[in-house]
Amino acid sequence: MAGVSTADFFVSYTGEDQSWADWVAWRLEADGHTVLIQAWDMLPGRNWVHRMATGVREAERVVVLLSEAYLASVWGSPDWRAAWRDDPLGERRKLVVLRVEDCPTPGALGSAPGEDLFGVGEGVIRRRLHDVVRGALASRPERDAAPTFPGGAPSFPGALPEIWDVPPRNPLFVGREAELALLDRAFRRVARPQVLVGPTGVGKSELVVEYAHRHSSAFDVVWWVPSAEPALVPDHLARLRRRLGGRRHDGWRSLIVFDGATSPLALHDHLLDHDRVVITTRSTEFGSLGRVVPVGPFDVDTSIALLRRRLPSLDGATAARFAEQCGGLPAVIATATQLAEQYGSADPAARLARLERAHPAAFLLVCLLARLAPDPVPMDLFTRHAELLPAPLADVAARPEQFVDVVGVLVEHSLVTRTADRVTLLDTGLREALRAREDHAAVVPALLAADVPARITGEPAHRPRWQLLLPHVLAACGKGTGVSPVCGWLLDRAATFLQTQGQLTAALELFERALAIVEVVYGPEHPDHATCATNLARALRESGRPEPAEALLRQALLVAPCWFAHNELGLVLLDLGRPAEALASLEAAGPCRRDPERFVAYLNNTGAALAAVGDLAEARARLGKSLRLAEQHYGVGDPEVAVRLHNLGRVLLARGRPAEAVELLRAAVEINSACFDPTHIRVGVSLEGLGTALVAAREHAEAGPLLERALEVFENAYGPGDHRLVPCMEGLSEVRRALG
């Protein structure tokens, strides 16, 4: 076999240029040449070093993909030097050099045939590649047939996927080649999630960002999901679904990154929906979700390399001492060098003291930003409530043009970035030092309480502001922020917002925290405690736990009898199968004719109870009136109208009028589908109602897909064994019997 060429071309490259290697190799094979490339031909169990050495020796030509990384690599040099030794005069044109970025072409590489594959469009690059290969082959005859590419055509390097949401690449990234190669190998073999575990500041996120950018052409969808706050994960995934626009691309390759995850349970149900998943976390409790990849601190040499990249003027001894002080943590190295470069000191306390002396208003602003989430903060949060701010920041915020100048000071100090109307605190290592100051700890919760809309249910116009401020509410009212009545109110409102978005698990946790705070501050006999308990009971009812909800509501009614608690107790009793008691509680709440919303709810809920006790005629009358009033009060496309359409449709179905029921229930599905995410529980309820009516109308072919979608929503919300899945399953059984 020694004299037989195993390939026309051997592609020599470094891991950072994997996407170029894939593209070049595919173009060569598409033109009828055989190619040996590590990523395709190095299968598990083979001796890689021997295989590559044999490939260089026996391939007719070696293609070098030249870049700064290739020149610095210890692996690339033996490849091209071996090819050059076999053909030192270039008579056989054994060596072909393709520069994939602007970099030096040293020694023998400069004398080999070559071309630049950067700085121009893909069409020009394809022609250049074709020409340089044709020149190297000279009069070599064409092959009759092209070999089969082992995995489809890779995308052109540098072209991002159609769906892409990844942080910018760090231009000073160094090291981590072993971890990058491990991720690449793992994702080429299996689709098991990869869990990157390591301490804060070790560079887990930057590692995944680098992987995503290097391999961007291998995916059709790459999406970044900040996961430190479990309650926000569904919103980030909902944004992805909106970007996909409801399209289902079974052949698409996706990479989803759950960054900074804290709860394995919060991610468990999301992992099966995606092709490739990476999780970064500090926790060691994620082993059940995937393969754990430890990410440790840099060794001394890599730390010094990063320091030298950031501060080229550092001498060797200083760099070594600096590296030791930073403990091998890239984030600490980056912060320390930035501070040393800008201020001549890496001491955060000294830097803050200088900022406080020179720019007291800017210092106060950055202290407040540190108590918020690392997400963008609307600047009008400060300018609309200047009276709540400490001086001298209050005087500046009262004049928006001066406030913009203060933000500019923080931009100049590399502490924040800003857009036209938002400001974001950068991760400079100062956040914890700033949060440690207690002198203005109460300002941020007060700002948020003054700004967030108090009315949430039935107010879709308030949703965008809540979506923007929810991360900041959760950060300002974190578990380590102490007990404050303002935080109790904020948590109760945040829980209500999450409840309207169908995130019941996250809502329940916040409702429970709010109730605990109110109990400590006011005691269990206070009216505010009864209000929080009623809100928690409502969430418990919606999550399928009516028994504890009943206990909370009865205690709340002893403390502060009110319409809301009576109404909720009636709905809980309906769920418990006690419709007569439910009707009594709902009638005790009263019609509240002076309050349109309560009157509409009274008619709807008593109508549902009357239907349950068998008085279908009166039920239909009340539900019909509730529907008309809801359309007048909320508008015909509001989710509250969908509730009335659904309930009235159910009554018509019970009275043996499925055709009329289908019309109303179809309208309910259309409203909920337009207002909520496809996984929202309200969407599932309306789909199940319409599917059941269609079964009764003997429209089985249309009913089946609707009931299947409803079942999927319910399984996701309640679990596969919950009793609320039974109507869907019975409906599907009926459909399958009817369709044979």
Side-chain angles (χ1 to χ4, degrees):
M1 297 291 293
V4 179
S5 295
T6 58
D8 298 330
F9 291 95
F10 172 88
V11 180
S12 176
Y13 64 99
T14 190
E16 293 187 21
D17 302 318
Q18 176 71 60
S19 57
W20 274 112
D22 286 342
W23 187 80
V24 167
W26 179 76
R27 291 305 320 169
L28 290 172
E29 290 207 336
D31 286 340
H33 309 302
T34 54
V35 179
L36 180 63
I37 173 175
Q38 178 191 342
W40 301 353
D41 298 292
M42 183 51 214
L43 301 177
R46 289 190 177 180
N47 185 318
W48 172 71
V49 176
H50 173 74
R51 175 69 168 151
M52 294 301 102
T54 302
V56 172
R57 184 175 66 253
E58 297 183 352
E60 291 192 13
R61 284 162 185 81
V62 172
V63 174
V64 172
L65 301 185
L66 193 62
S67 64
E68 292 281 3
Y70 186 91
L71 292 171
S73 170
V74 298
W75 299 108
S77 178
D79 293 348
W80 73 260
R81 291 184 186 279
W84 180 69
R85 282 195 302 270
D86 288 349
D87 185 25
L89 300 179
E91 295 174 345
R92 293 165 45 204
R93 300 180 184 179
K94 174 85 173 181
L95 191 62
V96 178
V97 178
L98 302 174
R99 292 200 311 164
V100 297
E101 68 179 26
D102 191 5
C103 63
T105 311
L109 291 175
S111 62
E115 269 290 2
D116 288 346
L117 305 188
F118 62 90
V120 292
E122 181 181 358
V124 175
I125 290 177
R126 288 176 63 177
R127 287 196 298 273
R128 288 182 180 180
L129 177 62
H130 178 76
D131 291 345
V132 74
V133 168
R134 185 176 58 183
L137 296 176
S139 60
R140 182 183 180 193
E142 296 289 335
R143 292 183 177 267
D144 294 331
T148 302
F149 178 71
S155 302
F156 180 70
L160 296 179
E162 180 179 346
I163 308 295
W164 172 267
D165 182 12
V166 175
R169 196 175 192 174
N170 181 2
L172 301 178
F173 184 88
V174 297
R176 303 299 187 200
E177 293 302 326
E179 291 88 346
L180 288 165
L182 187 151
L183 283 177
D184 187 37
R185 289 196 301 271
F187 282 153
R188 287 175 183 275
R189 296 174 186 172
V190 295
R192 189 182 183 196
Q194 304 295 300
V195 183
L196 273 57
V197 179
T200 299
V202 81
K204 302 181 294 294
S205 301
E206 283 197 353
L207 168 59
V208 184
V209 168
E210 179 68 16
Y211 174 83
H213 280 272
R214 285 192 191 184
H215 299 276
S216 60
S217 60
F219 299 99
D220 303 291
V221 177
V222 183
W223 201 256
W224 198 270
V225 181
S227 305
E229 184 54 64
L232 301 180
V233 169
D235 269 354
H236 289 290
L237 293 174
R239 279 203 313 118
L240 171 58
R241 286 191 290 271
R242 287 194 293 272
R243 281 290 301 276
L244 290 169
R247 294 169 291 175
R248 299 182 67 89
H249 295 287
D250 295 333
W252 274 22
R253 301 157 297 175
S254 65
L255 173 65
I256 309 298
V257 181
F258 294 97
D259 184 45
T262 56
S263 168
L265 184 61
L267 300 188
H268 184 273
D269 292 338
H270 301 301
L271 300 185
L272 295 179
D273 297 335
H274 306 290
D275 184 24
R276 300 289 189 268
V277 170
V278 176
I279 301 169
T280 72
T281 181
R282 293 175 297 172
S283 171
T284 58
E285 300 176 356
F286 283 75
S288 62
L289 298 188
R291 178 189 183 188
V292 173
V293 180
V295 181
F298 282 162
D299 58 28
V300 173
D301 291 340
T302 309
S303 297
I304 291 174
L306 179 56
L307 284 164
R308 285 283 182 81
R309 279 200 177 188
R310 300 189 69 94
L311 287 177
S313 60
L314 278 182
D315 61 80
T318 303
R321 186 172 65 255
F322 225 148
E324 184 177 353
Q325 292 172 348
C326 292
L329 297 176
V332 177
I333 294 171
T335 300
T337 53
Q338 182 184 28
L339 299 181
E341 188 176 39
Q342 292 185 358
Y343 299 97
S345 170
D347 181 11
R351 186 184 184 191
L352 290 174
R354 279 192 292 272
L355 180 65
E356 186 173 15
R357 288 193 301 270
H359 304 284
F363 172 77
L364 286 171
L365 178 57
V366 81
C367 285
L368 299 181
L369 289 171
R371 294 189 172 277
L372 295 165
D375 301 61
V377 182
M379 289 195 283
D380 63 3
L381 176 65
F382 305 99
T383 57
R384 288 166 57 178
H385 311 287
E387 73 282 358
L388 298 176
L389 298 172
L393 181 59
D395 298 331
V396 172
R399 301 172 177 82
E401 67 281 357
Q402 293 185 15
F403 184 78
V404 169
D405 293 338
V406 169
V407 174
V409 170
L410 299 181
V411 172
E412 292 173 1
H413 282 68
S414 300
L415 290 169
V416 304
T417 59
R418 62 154 292 190
T419 60
D421 59 352
R422 300 180 189 181
V423 58
T424 306
L425 181 65
L426 293 171
D427 185 10
T428 61
L430 297 178
R431 184 178 291 272
E432 293 306 316
L434 291 164
R435 287 179 67 90
R437 298 177 64 102
E438 297 293 337
D439 40 355
H440 301 298
V443 172
V444 167
L447 275 175
L448 292 165
D451 195 89
V452 294
R455 290 180 62 85
I456 299 168
T457 304
E459 297 286 350
H462 293 166
R463 180 182 179 184
R465 192 67 175 181
W466 262 106
Q467 285 179 318
L468 181 60
L469 292 178
L470 179 62
H472 304 298
V473 169
L474 298 179
C477 301
K479 294 182 180 178
T481 54
V483 176
S484 155
V486 176
C487 283
W489 184 85
L490 283 169
L491 289 171
D492 179 85
R493 295 295 80 204
T496 300
F497 174 72
L498 289 170
Q499 183 181 13
T500 65
Q501 303 308 300
Q503 299 179 40
L504 291 176
T505 301
L508 280 169
E509 180 187 352
L510 297 188
F511 275 130
E512 289 169 351
R513 286 177 54 198
L515 183 62
I517 289 174
V518 170
E519 186 164 335
V520 169
V521 173
Y522 298 119
E525 306 300 319
H526 195 277
D528 285 1
H529 186 276
T531 300
C532 282
T534 302
N535 291 339
L536 172 57
R538 183 182 182 186
L540 287 167
R541 174 179 62 80
E542 290 190 5
S543 64
R545 297 164 62 187
E547 293 85 357
E550 181 185 5
L552 281 171
L553 289 165
R554 294 199 181 280
Q555 180 63 34
L557 285 168
L558 291 175
V559 173
C562 66
W563 180 91
F564 186 32
H566 275 297
N567 184 70
E568 275 303 314
L569 180 59
L571 296 176
V572 164
L573 292 168
L574 268 179
D575 287 350
L576 289 170
R578 292 147 61 185
E581 293 178 61
L583 185 59
S585 184
L586 292 166
E587 292 289 5
C592 298
R593 294 179 184 275
R594 289 174 297 178
D595 186 324
E597 291 184 13
R598 290 188 178 183
F599 186 49
V600 169
Y602 164 80
L603 291 171
N604 178 76
N605 297 340
T606 55
L610 286 164
V613 297
D615 190 348
L616 296 181
E618 181 62 19
R620 183 189 177 192
R622 292 198 186 190
L623 290 170
K625 188 174 183 179
S626 177
L627 173 60
R628 292 191 298 274
L629 293 175
E631 289 177 335
Q632 294 172 13
H633 183 72
Y634 296 110
V636 293
D638 191 89
E640 293 301 313
V641 173
V643 172
R644 277 76 190 169
L645 288 166
H646 178 86
N647 289 343
L648 182 55
R650 286 287 200 178
V651 169
L652 289 171
L653 186 61
R655 298 194 70 181
R657 300 167 69 174
E660 295 175 60
V662 164
E663 184 178 352
L664 295 175
L665 292 164
R666 196 185 301 280
V669 169
E670 290 174 357
I671 292 173
N672 284 332
S673 298
C675 294
F676 298 109
D677 185 84
T679 62
H680 197 287
I681 194 66
R682 288 201 186 186
V683 176
V685 169
S686 57
L687 287 169
E688 186 268 331
L690 177 56
T692 300
L694 287 167
V695 169
R698 307 193 64 78
E699 299 289 343
H700 298 100
E702 184 182 357
L706 299 176
L707 291 169
E708 287 176 353
R709 285 170 55 198
L711 185 62
E712 185 178 346
V713 172
F714 292 153
E715 284 182 335
N716 184 57
Y718 304 131
D722 193 271
H723 66 90
R724 281 162 292 189
L725 277 61
V726 172
C728 275
M729 298 170 76
E730 290 177 342
L732 282 170
S733 296
E734 177 73 19
V735 166
R736 287 164 184 164
R737 280 195 299 270
L739 297 178

